[in-house]
Amino acid sequence: MEIKLCSLIALLGFLTIANAQTVFDITKCGATPNSDITAFQILTKTWTDACASPTGATIVIPAGTYKCGVVEFKGPCKGPITFQVDGTLQAPTSPDGDSWITFCSFENLAVTGTGTFDGMGSAIYGKQKSKAVNLRFNFITNGHMEGVTSKDSKEFHVNVLGCKNLTISKFTVCAPADSPNTDGIHLGRSNGVQILDTKIGTGDDCISVGDGMEQLTVERVTCGPGHGISIGSLGQYAGEMPVKGIFVRNCTLVNTQNGVRIKSWPDQEANDVSDIHFEDIVLDNVDNPIIVDQMYCPSNLCKSKGASKVTISNVSFKNIRGTCKLPEAITMTCSSAHPCTNVEMCDIDIKCTTGPAKAVCTNVKPVITGIMNPPGC
C-alpha cells in the first residue's frame, strides 16, 4: 500500500509542477532506515516509477542504513535519472552472481550524494570467495558519478563496460590493503571516460584498464594503498580489442605496490596498445614506480613463457618524481617478438629509500630527455 501511495504522490507532484523532475524519497515510499527489513522491493518499484517520468526523476536515499539485495536498475528511461545517495546502502553478506548494484542501458544518469555503497566484503575477506562487484555501469551514455563512497566491495568496486561520456569525480574507494581482487575502478570497451579528483585505497589496482578502452582521462587521483594505476592485463583472451588514448596526469601514489604500469600476458593472444601517456606523477614510498611487464603471469597461470603477442607503441612517461622502496625504480620488459616502439621518458627523478635506484629495460629503446634518474635505459 505504501509503495502505491508513493507512486501516486509522485504522479501528482509531476502533474502540478510542469517541467520539474519528480522526487522519490524512499522513506516516503515505505523504506525504514536502520532496519533489518530490506529496501530491495521499494527501490526496484521506485526505479520503475522514476524511469517512467518523461521529465526525469530524482531518487533519494536519505541518511541512515538500508539493506539492499542484488538489483539491476535498467533503462531505457523516458527522462534523465538522478540517484542521490546520502545514506548507506548495505549489500547482502553472500550475494548470488557477480554483481550487487547495476545501472544498465540508458542515457543521462547521475549518481550523486555523500553516502556509501557498503559491499560488506570485510565479513568474508580471507574466508570465502565472492565475485559481487559493488557498482556496475553497463552501456550508459552521458553519465556522472560524484561525491559517493564505495566501501569493502567483495570484488571490483566499480566496473565500467560499454559506456560513452561518463565522468567519475570526487569519488572515494575504501577497502583494506589485503582485500583480494578489489580493483577500485575497472574499465573496458568504453569511450570518453573521465576519472577526476578521486581518492582510492584498496587491495588491488586503484584503476585498471581492460581491452577496448579508448579516450580515458585520469586526473588528480590519489592512490594508496593498492597496486597502482594499470593498463591491462591484456593478451589473455581471444577477441580482445585495442587500447588507445589513455592520459594519466597529476596523480599521487602513496605506499602502493606499483606506480604506473602496462602489463600483458606472454604468448597467448594478440592486441595493440598505443597512445598511452603518464605525466606529472608523484610517488611516495612506492615499491615499483614504472613498469612495462609483457611477461605478466599471476599465480603461474600462463600457458607458455614465450614472447607476448601484444604490441605497445607511442607511450610517454613525463615528470615522474618521488621515492620508491625497491631498487628497480624502472622495469620495462617488452616483448622480444614485438619490441615496444616510440617510447619517451622525460624528467624522471626517482630515489630509492633502501639503496641506489636502477632502471632495467629489455626490448625497448626509449627516447630520453631532461633528467633521467636513475639512468640505465
Side-chain angles (χ1 to χ4, degrees):
M1 186 69 180
E2 288 175 321
I3 295 175
K4 291 182 179 178
L5 180 60
C6 173
S7 300
L8 179 60
I9 291 172
L11 178 60
L12 290 172
F14 163 67
L15 291 173
T16 55
I17 305 175
N19 298 320
Q21 279 201 344
T22 309
V23 176
F24 295 84
D25 181 333
I26 66 167
T27 60
K28 292 180 172 58
C29 301
T32 303
N34 310 314
S35 169
D36 288 334
I37 300 173
T38 179
F40 167 75
Q41 288 185 331
I42 291 167
L43 276 167
T44 54
K45 180 62 170 65
T46 301
W47 177 266
T48 300
D49 293 340
C51 197
S53 173
T55 58
T58 297
I59 299 170
V60 178
I61 293 88
T65 298
Y66 306 85
K67 296 183 183 298
C68 179
V70 176
V71 60
E72 181 181 57
F73 299 119
K74 190 172 184 179
C77 294
K78 291 187 176 180
I81 301 289
T82 297
F83 195 84
Q84 181 179 323
V85 182
D86 293 320
T88 296
L89 288 175
Q90 196 173 78
T93 302
S94 300
D96 295 328
D98 62 0
S99 307
W100 173 31
I101 293 175
T102 301
F103 296 96
C104 181
S105 300
F106 63 93
E107 297 185 13
N108 302 316
L109 167 72
V111 178
T112 66
T114 58
T116 299
F117 295 88
D118 186 351
M120 299 294 287
S122 59
I124 68 164
Y125 293 150
K127 298 176 183 178
Q128 67 185 77
K129 292 183 179 180
S130 172
K131 297 295 185 182
V133 173
N134 261 13
L135 293 167
R136 287 187 184 271
F137 294 93
N138 293 346
F139 308 104
I140 303 299
T141 299
N142 302 328
H144 184 202
M145 178 167 68
E146 180 175 350
V148 296
T149 295
S150 175
K151 177 185 177 185
D152 292 343
S153 183
K154 298 178 180 71
E155 181 89 352
F156 298 168
H157 285 263
V158 175
N159 192 86
V160 175
L161 176 67
C163 294
K164 295 180 181 179
N165 301 326
L166 174 70
T167 298
I168 297 172
S169 64
K170 298 177 183 177
F171 176 54
T172 301
V173 170
C174 180
D178 60 354
S179 54
N181 208 33
T182 52
D183 292 25
I185 303 172
H186 179 76
L187 311 100
R189 305 204 175 198
S190 298
N191 192 308
V193 177
Q194 297 185 91
I195 303 172
L196 311 173
D197 303 300
T198 286
K199 185 174 182 179
I200 301 174
T202 192
D204 211 302
D205 292 334
C206 290
I207 296 171
S208 57
V209 178
D211 80 291
M213 192 67 218
E214 297 184 14
Q215 302 307 314
L216 168 66
T217 298
V218 178
E219 290 188 348
R220 300 179 300 280
V221 169
T222 299
C223 168
H227 293 185
I229 298 174
S230 296
I231 313 299
S233 61
L234 299 167
Q236 184 180 8
Y237 302 109
E240 289 185 358
M241 299 175 66
V243 173
K244 58 184 177 181
I246 311 298
F247 302 88
V248 179
R249 306 186 186 100
N250 297 303
C251 293
T252 301
L253 297 106
V254 181
N255 295 318
T256 53
Q257 187 181 99
N258 307 296
V260 292
R261 175 169 60 157
I262 302 172
K263 52 183 177 176
S264 71
W265 288 66
D267 195 25
Q268 290 196 209
E269 301 295 337
N271 202 340
D272 182 71
V273 180
S274 63
D275 196 17
I276 311 295
H277 306 283
F278 302 101
E279 185 171 349
D280 297 325
I281 307 297
V282 175
L283 310 163
D284 184 355
N285 203 37
V286 172
D287 285 4
N288 307 287
I290 297 175
I291 301 176
V292 175
D293 182 6
Q294 294 208 258
M295 294 296 290
Y296 180 73
C297 185
S299 304
N300 293 315
L301 295 175
C302 306
K303 298 176 183 177
S304 166
K305 296 291 187 179
S308 177
K309 298 176 182 177
V310 175
T311 62
I312 297 174
S313 62
N314 300 322
V315 178
S316 66
F317 302 90
K318 295 182 178 181
N319 194 26
I320 299 178
R321 61 204 185 277
T323 59
C324 64
K325 286 193 291 186
L326 301 180
E328 290 191 2
I330 301 171
T331 305
M332 302 178 71
T333 306
C334 293
S335 170
S336 59
H338 303 280
C340 300
T341 59
N342 296 329
V343 176
E344 181 182 0
M345 307 193 81
C346 176
D347 291 332
I348 309 298
D349 190 7
I350 303 171
K351 296 177 176 64
C352 178
T353 59
T354 58
K358 61 181 179 179
V360 179
C361 297
T362 306
N363 300 315
V364 58
K365 295 180 179 179
V367 175
I368 297 172
T369 56
I371 298 168
M372 185 63 190
N373 181 37
C377 286

